[in-house]
Amino acid sequence: MPSLDFETSVFKKEKVSLAGHEEFIVRGGRNLFPLLPEAFKGIKQIGVLGWGSQGPAQAQNLRDSLAEAKLDIVVKIGLRKGSKSFQEARAAGFTEETGTLGDILETVLGSDLLLLLISDSAQADNYEKIFSHMKPNSILGLSHGFLLGHLQSVGLDFPKNISVIAVCPKGMGPSVRRLYVQGKEINGAGINSSFAVHQDVDGRATDVALGWSIALGSPFTFATTLEQEYRSDIFGERGILLGAVHGIVEALFRRYTEQGMDEDLAYKNTVECITGIVSKTISKKGMLEVYNSLTEEGKKQFNEAYSAAYYPSMDILYECYEDVSSGSEIRSVVLAGRRFYEKEGLPAFPMGNIDQTRMWKVGERVRSTRPQGDLGPLHPFTAGVFVAMMMAQIEVLRKKGHSYSEIINESVIESVDSLNPFMHARGVAFMVDNCSTTARLGSRKWAPRFDYVLTQQAFVTVDKKAPINQDLISDFMSDPVHGAIEVCAQLRPTVDISVTADADFVRPELRQSS
């Protein structure tokens, strides 16, 4: 695994040991806000381009934190002329009159730190114009490494007269804002972030990146590279964060109902089980506790499911990772974004919703009568399939050289502490239909692959009563990742994310078009 050490003259760096590997972090907290003036020295305006998933959360968190630090740095939103998001930005307190809201190029020209938070496909189509309007020695901030992957795929790089950094919250934008607000009185609440310095033209980049992360409310910030970030992130959202969990519940719901289980109970034993009790248990006590809390018969069912699902899951995950790292998946996203509009005499093909099929209608009914705080049943077979997928994703990232902090955040913490609570409140289909464009595309493409491989290989193995792979179970029980997760759990947000049944995380353009 890579050594990702870094030097900071403003913040305190701490060393942690994860599964025998030394890594370095910076612990966050509102008590560090007095250090933000030093971290942001020379910055008079932070431009935030886009009002999608991350834009509203990051802009508001930065504005609030800078105000608390008594800094007069302007946080300005830049949007396309005529964008319907102007209205929502104004409602959040950003206005043309105060110089905190304007069009994209006007915002780019005046920004010392420019946060590029428009959609991935829009970045790929507009980066040249944005780069050409940036001030020399200004800093480009990304919350995703997608643009680097796109530039690499076409043989290009960032301009050499700007610094390039990334701060990547390990959760979707509404989680970043919700935990920040929930934790205003509790030091350390927020969403963990990774950070990267890809290019540093004047020596300021590391401290600016760490200041940005702390101002977002990150409880802890760990180092990565921009390349490792986009590979793990794009892969992760196609895997256990969204695409794989979508495929798992579709396959299991169909299996359970075909076996005669009542539809409502089948939904509870799939979606509610994974997004509720399994996620909460992993969040608080780790994956082994899911197994240890089962009866002896339940442990047998878990082992059957885990043994049968692990390698088929890894097969698809391995393929997915290599599609991401080769640039194939990135090109697919860019091309799909262009098909959203009419071109070459062909009609526009925007993404449709998935929430009208039988399973998701059952889910609406189940949630409408669900008691407050109900986390659903712990179904041993479902738990075994889900944990097998999670462990397979961990192993692929580990073998591909990612750091344990990145592996655990992308495969475990972001799943159980950020995304799954929203899915428990609103359903997996709601997440698939309303998250970022890149994630929505990925889930639609890869979820059927996970569904099919489980149905055609894993479940067939179980039905044939094939012997359980005891070596695989033993490896799971003794895997060093469990100890690393315990360390990371001590660095998790101090406040659990609270999501109401009507929690709104629909991006403005989707809400307005529905």
Side-chain angles (χ1 to χ4, degrees), residues 138-442:
S138 61
I139 303 171
L140 177 66
L142 305 169
S143 281
H144 187 19
F146 182 93
L147 184 55
L148 172 63
H150 174 67
L151 291 173
Q152 288 176 336
S153 73
V154 295
L156 297 174
D157 202 350
F158 295 99
K160 297 304 180 186
N161 65 341
I162 61 171
S163 293
V164 181
I165 62 175
V167 170
C168 309
K170 300 297 111 179
M172 59 188 214
S175 299
V176 173
R177 181 60 179 169
R178 186 174 290 268
L179 268 177
Y180 180 92
V181 171
Q182 281 180 242
K184 277 200 171 184
E185 304 304 322
I186 302 174
N187 196 32
I191 289 287
N192 297 333
S193 297
S194 62
F195 89 98
V197 174
H198 183 71
Q199 195 166 282
D200 187 357
V201 296
D202 58 11
R204 294 185 298 153
T206 297
D207 287 331
V208 170
L210 291 170
W212 170 16
S213 183
I214 285 164
L216 292 184
S218 304
F220 84 90
T221 305
F222 63 92
T224 185
T225 68
L226 204 53
E227 187 169 54
Q228 291 288 71
E229 191 286 327
Y230 83 72
R231 290 181 176 182
S232 64
D233 188 80
I234 298 175
F235 165 69
E237 65 194 15
R238 280 143 181 76
I240 201 68
L241 301 182
L242 190 61
V245 75
H246 176 199
I248 287 170
V249 297
E250 291 268 13
L252 286 172
F253 180 82
R254 189 171 58 250
R255 176 177 175 82
Y256 293 160
T257 54
E258 288 174 354
Q259 290 176 339
M261 189 180 290
D262 171 78
E263 284 187 338
D264 285 26
L265 184 57
Y267 187 87
K268 292 175 183 177
N269 280 329
T270 53
V271 176
E272 301 280 282
C273 169
I274 288 172
T275 63
I277 187 62
V278 168
S279 291
K280 181 65 72 174
T281 303
I282 293 173
S283 172
K284 296 295 187 183
K285 298 181 179 179
M287 283 181 278
L288 288 178
E289 182 61 24
V290 175
Y291 177 84
N292 291 333
S293 62
L294 297 169
T295 65
E296 288 307 310
E297 177 59 29
K299 288 176 180 176
K300 180 182 177 183
Q301 292 179 43
F302 179 101
N303 289 345
E304 288 175 346
Y306 186 97
S307 175
Y310 181 84
Y311 283 117
S313 298
M314 183 179 284
D315 182 12
I316 305 301
L317 289 163
Y318 189 5
E319 177 188 347
C320 181
Y321 185 94
E322 296 208 321
D323 271 12
V324 172
S325 63
S326 69
S328 175
E329 192 69 14
I330 289 173
R331 285 190 291 274
S332 175
V333 170
V334 173
L335 292 172
R338 293 170 182 166
R339 290 194 298 272
F340 294 164
Y341 308 97
E342 292 183 22
K343 65 171 189 172
E344 300 172 345
L346 293 169
F349 286 96
M351 281 183 280
N353 286 2
I354 70 164
D355 63 354
Q356 296 303 303
T357 58
R358 179 172 63 111
M359 177 180 184
W360 307 115
K361 288 299 181 183
V362 172
E364 289 179 9
R365 184 170 69 236
V366 168
R367 288 193 302 279
S368 70
T369 60
R370 183 176 64 195
Q372 187 173 1
D374 184 2
L375 295 175
L378 178 55
H379 192 282
F381 194 88
T382 298
V385 173
F386 181 76
V387 172
M389 186 74 72
M390 184 172 276
M391 287 297 296
Q393 177 163 316
I394 288 168
E395 182 64 2
V396 169
L397 287 171
R398 189 159 46 190
K399 288 295 190 284
K400 291 294 184 178
H402 291 262
S403 66
Y404 265 105
S405 54
E406 188 159 60
I407 292 168
I408 292 166
N409 276 279
E410 291 287 0
S411 304
V412 182
I413 293 174
E414 186 169 355
S415 170
V416 301
D417 282 335
S418 178
L419 301 181
N420 286 0
F422 274 95
M423 287 194 258
H424 194 66
R426 302 297 300 268
V428 175
F430 191 84
M431 178 71 78
V432 171
D433 286 338
N434 292 293
C435 60
S436 73
T437 300
T438 300
R440 291 162 67 216
L441 286 166

Side-chain angles (χ1 to χ4, degrees), residues 62 76 90 141 145 220 243 263 275 422 435 456 462 505:
L62 280 166
K76 182 172 183 175
R90 292 187 191 108
F220 84 90
E263 284 187 338
T275 63
F422 274 95
C435 60
Q456 296 164 0
V462 172
F505 57 91

